[in-house]
Each structure stands twice: as C-alpha cells, then as structure tokens.
Amino acid sequence: MDFLDKLNPAQKSAVNAGEGPVLVLAGPGSGKTRVLTQRIAYLIGYEGVRPYQMLAVTFTNKAAREMEQRVQNLLGEEMTRGLLLGTFHSICARILRRESEKLPVNGDFVIFDADDQQSVVKSAIRELNLDEKNYRPVAVHAAISRAKNELQGPEDFPVVTYRDEAIKRIYKRYQELLQASNGMDFDDLLLLTTNLLADNLDVREKYAQRFRHVLVDEFQDTNIAQYNLISYLSSYHHNVFCVGDPDQSVYRWRGADYRNVLRFEEDHPGCQTILLEQNYRSKQNILDAAMAVIDRNPRRKRKKLFTDRGAGEKIVFFEANDDYGEASFVVDTIAQLVATRQFEPGDCAVMYRTNAMSRLIEEAFLQARLPYRLVGAQRFYGRREVKDMISFLRLVQNRADDISLGRVINVPPRGIGEKTIQSLHIAAHNANITPGDVLLDLARGSDSPFFSQFPARAALSLAEFGGMLSAWQSMAATATVSEIFEQVANDIRYKDHLEDGTDEGKERWENVQELHRLADEYEKRTLAEFLENIALVSDQDTIKDGNVPTLLTLHAAKGLEFGVVFIVGLDDGILPHSRSLDEPEEMEEERRLFYVGITRAKDKLYVLRAQRRGGRGYAEDTIESRFLADIPAELISGQNRAGKRGQTNAYGSNKSNWVLPSPRQPAAIIQPTYRAGMRVKHSVWGDGIIVDSRIQDNDEILDVVFTSVGLKKLAASLAKLTIIK
C-alpha cells in the first residue's frame, strides 16, 4: 500500500496521526475526502484496526457512497467488511432499532418524511383547536425541529410568549401522534439516539468500547445533537478524528453550528490540530481573494491557502447598468469562452444568493438559444408559487381553463375539497357550461340556481372564489397586468400564505415578487401578451443534463468545483442578504457563503453587480456589496490606480482595462418559411392552416388554425411543422 507516498506533508501527518483526538481543518480543495478515506485505510492496513471497530459518519448518502468506494479501491472489499460508514441519520436508525426496548416505539418504527411530518403537525394543531393561520404548520415544525436539534424535548421547550406556550403544546401532541403511529421524524433519529446514550450508561459503553475510532466528515456542519452524539460514541477510546472547515459553515438555518469546531478544541485540550492549506483546485489569485474576504471574520483560526497551479488571471469585476445587463454579460461571456475554446460549457457555473435571481439569467440563456442546467431548484417558471400566480392570471384571462382552476381553486386553502370540486364539475356538466361559468354565477349567492346544489359551507366558499374571479375579470378590461397581478395577490392574501416564518417562505414570496417585476414591464401590453410570452418561455423545459453551464445558489455550490465561476448579485441587501445587515453572526455566515462561492472556481472568476435592479422602468438603485471592498485592488481586473472602479457606459461595460466579450454581431436576417393560407401538419394536433406569419425575436411566429384544437400561436423553430403540398 503505497498511497501515503502520494500525500503532501500535511495530509500525511493527518492520515498517520497517532491515537487521541485529531482536528483537521481542511481548506477548500485541499483533499479532505482523500485524507479521511486514507486515514481509514491506514488504520486498517497499517495499524491493524478491525473494520467493525471503526465508525465513519458524513451528511449525505452520496458522500458516504464515495467514501466507501474509495476505501474499497485502496484495500479491497474483503478488508473493509464490517466497516460502519454512513450518514448520521442512517447510523442513528441502526442503533435505535437495535436498542428499541428502551424507546417509546417498537423496533419496526417508520420514519416520517417531510410531507408526513406536515400532516401530523396539522392534525396536532386541529386537535388543540388552534388556527392554522396563526400557527402555520411549516413554521411550527421548523420551531420543533430547532428544539430537537438543540436536544430540547416538549417538556424542555422554552416559553417566553403565549405563542411559545402554544407551540409547546403542539410539539407535545405532535410527538404523541408520532408515537401512536410507531413513527419518528428525521430529527428524532438524532435526538433519541443522543438521549439513549446519555441516559443509559450500559448502552453508551457498549458502543463507545466497540468503536475504537470515530471519524467525522464535514464537522463544521454538525448541530448540538450531532456534537453530543459524537462525544458519547468516542467517550471510551477518545480516538475521534474530525475533518472540516469552519470557514465553509453556511447551514446555520439548518441548525449547523460552526462553533462546534471551537468546542472540540476546548473539550479536548491537547488535541492535534492539523491545517490542510495546499489547494489543488484554484489559481493563487482566486485563493488570495477568498482569504482576503474570510479573514474579516473574527473568532477563527487563519489558514494560508496556497497552490502550485500558478497565479492565474485576475478576477474580473463587472458592474452592469441593470440586472438585465448583468444577465446578458454572463451569457455573452460564456458564449465567447466556449467559442474561443477556453472552456467547455460544462466548465461554467453561475451562482447567486437566492433562487429568485435565476429568472433573468434563465431568460438570457433562452433568448441566446443556449442550454443550461439548474441545480438545487426548479426552473423559475416551474416553481409552485410562480405557477400558482400564473394559473390565477390564466383563469382571469380564460375562465374555461380547467387546468388552472383545478390548481388554484383551493390556494390558499379555502375549504374547497375534492368532493366539492367533483360536485362543481357535475353541476357544470349538467348545465352544459364550464366550471368557471358556474363559479361566476355562484358569485350572486343564494340567487344562483347552483347555490342549493352544494352544502351551505361549500356553497359559500365557492361563491367567495367566484366573486373574486368576477371582480378580477371586470378590472382586466382596463387595468394593467401589474395592477391585476397585485389585486389577485392581495385578494387571496398570498403573501400571508407564503411567508410562514421560515426562510423557505420568504424565498417563495421573493419568487412571486420577481414575477411581479416582470409584470411591471407590460404596462402598455395586455394580459394575453404577458401570458403568451411566458408560455413561449416555459415551453422550453426539455433541457437535458450534459455538457451545459450550471445555474445554482451559493448554498447548493458547496462541495462542487468549476473551471469558471460567475457570482452575480454583489449588492448590499442581496449578498450580504438584507436579513443579515443588523446581525453580526448572520453577517459572518454571509461572508462564509461568498468565500464558498469564490473557492468553487478553478481557473477564472467573475464577480458581478448591477447599479439598478427590479425591472426596466421600475428599477431601484443598489449599493455595492461591502464584500467587494475586501478583495485587494491588485487582484481585480478593471480598477484604476486610485483603486476605484471605472464608470460604466450605456452597455454596462467598464471604461478601464476590461477583458470583455466581443461585441454582439448583428443578428442574421430571418426569411419567413411559411405564409398565410399554407397547409401544415403538426405531430400532435394534426392538419392546420396558417393564418398569419411574422418575424419576432429572431424567430418566425405563426398563427395556425388546427382542425383538432383551433387557433394556436407557435414559434416555427419549436413547432417543427410539415408543409402539406
């Protein structure tokens, strides 16, 4: 086994470290997974430790599989048989099933997924006669989850306000319902295992004596429950080997506590602390920028990241006039980098702070007819809250749209269940009208002949929805798209529905606001045009994985690497996020998030901002992110001698020494292929006749009347029509 010969001195020190507690602070791209897996191989192959005497834990199944495969490649499958390697939750589930006689559930307990958990929370709220509007299940469950991660059971839940007291009662009933179903949630796996080891000395000693070595990956992402769990399992031999980087702790909202790294050193005085500072991923200029950013955070052990890959190019800063220019610059630059064969499309990544920021970038890719891959989130127009608002507007435009009606008739919940919806369709069928027509008639209340066909409560709910729909359709004749949008969102109290006290709820409302900003641009255009253009964009959702640029949030980027990285949105209020501006610990995490983004880049890094954001004609001025000032001037391309960035011109480019993509070539003149009166055939809709053809947005747009479905508006490049001669 000669794998030790391929390690650098710091890596070798970590791999063959002696017994006792070891803390490995591994900088980004420093080979931490290699160190962890080769430490396991070293202990088995050189020190003679039995595989079943070792426990290795990480956070994802993917990471666990990768670690297991690497160890097997080094030693062979036979020599690793019995090694317990997995995620925290899978290891805990295994222990709990073995020790089930000491639990409030049986050994064949079920683990409730996220949807199941929400259902149980809702049941608990109803049983306690509490209002879901005041105690939203998602927010309540988030509070319960935080408590469990901090080892607080229902009896320990802190009560300061009346709301806390109510959540405490919900928590208690939630646990009772879980146990009555012989089930537990993900947080219970950690909580119950930690409590089991804390309260049962015999059980704790059994596992602590068995596991001669405990190894932990991504230690900076552990919460209080996981920290205590590790402490108990390593309490006999004290051979605990933790690998992590507190500078990459960016999951505070999930309960992760970077301070566990500091606690480890305090709880294990005299532990070996090894720094992995040699980076195998990035050029030195990128590393220097990352260190300049992260060094501003207090209470951390500094690392001096270095590489043998050379200094590399300077970081490119680009300040666009607005967020449209920012998105265009990204796509244009990627196109040039690929065209000049500097990078493959798959080498490129675009990173942003929130999912809502992907919308303009996606549209820029679509307009350029370039494919992309979206990681960690749905496409903007495929997100639930965005589709909901579009469905409401489609229903305003066309009350016969049963698809949209079915989607939003009970959004937010208004007491219209499946039986009521079935009755609505039966009434419409018997009257030979659409369900939308029935709803509009029900808006008249008891004067409607349909009112008596429903139970009183259902009839009132349907009448209320029908009244809103009638009002929206009336205003649509004269109101702008933005005004209709705002009226719908206000009438259904969509913000209250989405903003449930969680980060996810806030992000979902941000997505709705992003769609609203798009609606603002249609001040002089109709609702039909707005919906039509959205349909043309959202139809292009057949993008496949492969050699294409990647779009992702900075949180989703952790653990990944790319040849060239674009970080957009470097404005105060975005990165750092507005929620962090008055919270020192939140600000520190925002800085760590930027650090993570920077260190994903291997060869080239672009940092971008926009002077204005929010849409054409409705944009607001922005302030440059304070993080940009942390990067030394000599590392950034485009600064003048005074260290100030040059002014931007109308296109948004800097007047100083920028390396910018070549100016766009004039678009080729598209000649129409089709003409009015021409007969065509579509693969789905069959025969049709073209009634109009025009060139628009570098494509030929067709109005076609099909025998099967009537009038359709199509883009010729996508429709793939066959001309019938």
Side-chain angles (χ1 to χ4, degrees):
M1 291 179 287
D2 59 351
F3 55 80
L4 290 176
D5 297 335
K6 300 177 182 178
L7 301 174
N8 67 43
Q11 291 174 332
K12 187 176 295 186
S13 296
V15 169
N16 62 17
E19 295 196 336
V22 179
L23 178 62
V24 179
L25 299 181
S30 62
K32 72 174 182 63
T33 304
R34 167 187 282 190
V35 165
L36 192 60
T37 54
Q38 295 195 9
R39 169 71 171 174
I40 297 172
Y42 174 82
L43 291 172
I44 296 174
Y46 282 85
E47 297 295 331
V49 179
R50 302 296 185 186
Y52 65 83
Q53 295 178 304
M54 303 179 66
L55 169 66
V57 289
T58 186
F59 278 84
T60 67
N61 290 322
K62 179 181 178 182
R65 288 193 298 269
E66 180 183 353
M67 287 169 59
E68 184 177 39
Q69 187 61 54
R70 288 195 185 192
V71 174
Q72 289 180 355
N73 290 342
L74 291 170
L75 298 178
E77 186 173 349
E78 186 63 31
M79 287 189 66
T80 60
R81 196 178 304 278
L83 172 66
L84 189 54
L85 191 160
T87 65
F88 276 96
H89 292 94
S90 67
I91 299 298
C92 287
R94 183 178 301 191
I95 293 175
L96 291 175
R97 294 195 192 280
R98 289 178 178 174
E99 310 297 335
S100 59
E101 70 277 2
K102 295 181 174 63
L103 302 178
V105 296
N106 297 328
D108 58 349
F109 60 81
V110 295
I111 301 172
F112 282 34
D113 64 19
D115 290 337
D116 295 330
Q117 294 166 29
Q118 292 298 314
S119 297
V120 178
V121 170
K122 289 178 181 178
S123 297
I125 292 172
R126 294 191 196 104
E127 289 186 19
L128 295 171
N129 295 317
L130 296 171
D131 189 346
E132 284 190 29
K133 293 181 180 178
N134 296 325
Y135 299 94
R136 301 189 184 279
V138 174
V140 170
H141 184 265
I144 293 173
S145 179
R146 285 193 297 271
K148 290 184 178 182
N149 288 334
E150 295 177 6
L151 299 176
Q152 296 171 342
E155 66 282 354
D156 305 314
F157 191 86
V159 174
V160 177
T161 65
Y162 174 78
R163 177 179 176 82
D164 294 335
E165 192 277 331
I167 294 177
K168 179 175 182 175
R169 287 189 287 131
I170 297 170
Y171 184 4
K172 182 175 183 295
R173 185 55 185 154
Y174 171 75
Q175 289 303 109
E176 292 172 348
L177 291 172
L178 285 178
Q179 293 172 18
S181 301
N182 195 39
M184 61 179 69
D185 61 19
F186 295 122
D187 298 313
D188 281 330
L189 295 173
L190 301 176
L191 175 64
L192 293 180
T193 305
T194 304
N195 288 343
L196 172 72
L197 299 177
D199 299 337
N200 298 273
L201 181 60
D202 57 331
V203 178
R204 186 198 319 165
E205 288 185 343
K206 178 173 67 174
Y207 288 99
Q209 289 181 25
R210 172 189 166 180
F211 297 128
R212 183 176 163 187
H213 289 272
V214 176
L215 302 96
V216 186
D217 187 22
E218 301 288 3
F219 184 62
Q220 78 281 347
D221 291 335
T222 55
N223 56 36
I224 295 299
Q226 289 160 331
Y227 183 87
N228 283 19
L229 179 65
I230 294 163
S231 298
Y232 289 137
L233 291 173
S234 61
S235 60
Y236 187 83
H237 296 286
H238 303 289
N239 294 325
V240 56
F241 185 91
C242 296
V243 180
D245 182 4
D247 291 336
Q248 295 186 72
S249 180
V250 295
Y251 297 126
R252 187 169 180 261
W253 48 280
R254 291 181 182 172
D257 192 343
Y258 76 96
R259 291 171 297 188
N260 283 345
V261 175
L262 304 178
R263 292 189 183 102
F264 185 89
E265 293 184 296
E266 293 171 357
D267 293 344
H268 300 86
C271 75
Q272 297 184 65
T273 300
I274 300 171
L275 301 182
L276 299 186
E277 299 174 297
Q278 183 169 357
N279 180 285
Y280 293 91
R281 175 189 300 155
S282 305
K283 299 287 189 178
Q284 191 64 52
N285 281 341
I286 293 172
L287 297 178
D288 289 345
M291 286 185 288
V293 168
I294 201 63
D295 279 347
R296 296 297 185 98
N297 272 358
R299 303 187 302 276
R300 54 176 294 274
K301 187 181 291 290
R302 293 196 174 195
K303 296 186 294 293
K304 181 64 177 178
L305 302 179
F306 67 94
T307 182
D308 292 335
R309 298 195 63 227
E313 298 181 45
K314 290 187 177 182
I315 296 162
V316 178
F317 169 78
F318 181 79
E319 184 178 73
N321 271 351
D322 57 23
D323 39 7
Y324 286 87
E326 180 184 58
S328 295
F329 176 87
V330 169
V331 175
D332 287 349
T333 304
I334 290 177
Q336 182 188 356
L337 293 173
V338 172
T340 55
R341 300 191 177 183
Q342 298 180 58
F343 294 94
E344 288 292 315
D347 294 331
C348 306
V350 187
M351 301 176 186
Y352 33 82
R353 177 61 179 82
T354 64
N355 279 318
M357 297 184 67
S358 74
R359 196 261 296 179
L360 290 181
I361 299 169
E362 287 186 73
E363 290 192 353
F365 272 102
L366 291 170
Q367 288 178 359
R369 299 177 182 270
L370 295 175
Y372 61 92
R373 173 175 52 241
L374 192 64
V375 173
Q378 293 174 298
R379 298 176 65 257
F380 180 82
Y381 292 108
R383 292 167 188 153
R384 183 175 66 188
E385 58 276 8
V386 174
K387 292 180 70 173
D388 282 349
M389 285 304 302
I390 292 173
S391 293
F392 275 114
L393 296 175
R394 284 173 54 182
L395 197 57
V396 172
Q397 176 67 21
N398 176 21
R399 64 176 180 267
D401 188 342
D402 282 348
I403 301 297
S404 294
L405 177 62
R407 180 179 181 87
V408 301
I409 192 171
N410 201 41
V411 175
R414 53 177 60 89
I416 301 177
E418 288 298 324
K419 290 185 178 179
T420 301
I421 295 174
Q422 290 177 5
S423 299
L424 176 64
H425 280 82
I426 291 172
H429 176 76
N430 292 338
N432 198 29
I433 57 178
T434 69
D437 291 321
V438 175
L439 281 173
L440 291 175
D441 196 80
L442 281 169
R444 299 189 292 131
S446 58
D447 291 337
S448 169
F450 298 105
F451 199 85
S452 61
Q453 298 182 29
F454 300 88
R457 185 175 178 181
L460 289 173
S461 296
L462 291 171
E464 180 184 10
F465 186 81
M468 289 191 295
L469 179 58
S470 177
W472 298 335
Q473 289 191 330
S474 296
M475 73 174 295
T478 56
T480 66
V481 177
S482 180
E483 290 169 343
I484 301 169
F485 188 107
E486 187 170 359
Q487 189 67 49
V488 170
N490 287 340
D491 286 351
I492 66 174
R493 299 179 64 186
Y494 205 38
K495 181 179 181 180
D496 293 339
H497 173 61
L498 294 179
E499 285 202 331
D500 51 17
T502 67
D503 288 338
E504 179 186 6
K506 293 175 182 176
E507 186 165 295
R508 291 181 65 194
W509 179 244
E510 288 176 1
N511 289 335
V512 174
Q513 292 177 301
E514 182 68 11
L515 184 65
H516 193 185
R517 285 191 282 270
L518 177 63
D520 286 339
E521 299 178 22
Y522 283 73
E523 183 179 16
K524 297 182 180 179
R525 303 169 73 181
T526 66
L527 177 61
E529 290 175 300
F530 175 74
L531 295 171
E532 176 185 300
N533 287 343
I534 284 180
L536 287 173
V537 171
S538 59
D539 280 344
Q540 303 180 40
D541 57 2
T542 57
I543 299 166
K544 300 179 180 179
D545 292 346
N547 187 18
V548 295
T550 300
L551 280 57
L552 71 171
T553 65
L554 287 162
H555 281 101
K558 189 166 173 285
L560 303 177
E561 60 181 38
F562 302 91
V564 55
V565 167
F566 297 79
I567 302 178
V568 302
L570 279 161
D571 309 323
D572 260 18
I574 296 179
L575 185 64
H577 198 280
S578 58
R579 294 194 299 270
S580 70
L581 299 181
D582 297 320
E583 296 289 339
E585 287 198 357
E586 293 281 356
M587 182 63 72
E588 290 175 24
E589 179 144 328
E590 292 294 300
R591 192 179 296 279
R592 293 195 294 270
L593 193 59
F594 187 33
Y595 170 81
V596 166
I598 292 172
T599 55
R600 299 312 94 191
K602 295 163 64 176
D603 301 303
K604 199 171 182 65
L605 174 66
Y606 293 81
V607 290
L608 301 91
R609 69 171 303 266
Q611 293 178 349
R612 288 174 292 280
R613 290 187 186 277
R616 292 176 176 137
Y618 296 88
E620 295 181 354
D621 291 341
T622 63
I623 299 174
E624 179 178 292
S625 170
R626 63 195 68 188
F627 294 164
L628 286 171
D630 297 337
I631 303 176
E634 63 269 17
L635 297 179
I636 296 185
S637 169
Q639 291 186 326
N640 60 27
R641 294 179 183 176
K644 295 184 178 180
R645 300 175 180 89
Q647 299 298 313
T648 57
N649 59 28
Y651 176 68
S653 60
N654 200 287
K655 289 182 179 179
S656 44
N657 299 325
W658 288 103
V659 180
L660 294 175
S662 302
R664 292 187 179 188
Q665 298 299 318
I669 298 176
I670 300 177
Q671 297 297 330
T673 303
Y674 304 89
R675 64 179 184 279
M678 184 177 286
R679 295 178 62 224
V680 294
K681 186 177 184 66
H682 188 272
S683 59
V684 176
W685 298 320
D687 293 350
I689 298 178
I690 294 177
V691 295
D692 187 35
S693 169
R694 59 200 176 279
I695 303 301
Q696 178 181 317
D697 296 330
N698 295 324
D699 205 344
E700 186 175 3
I701 305 301
L702 308 172
D703 291 336
V704 187
V705 176
F706 292 97
T707 304
S708 60
V709 294
L711 180 65
K712 289 287 183 181
K713 191 180 300 293
L714 306 171
S717 63
L718 301 176
K720 298 181 180 179
L721 299 173
T722 301
I723 298 174
I724 302 175
K725 297 182 179 179

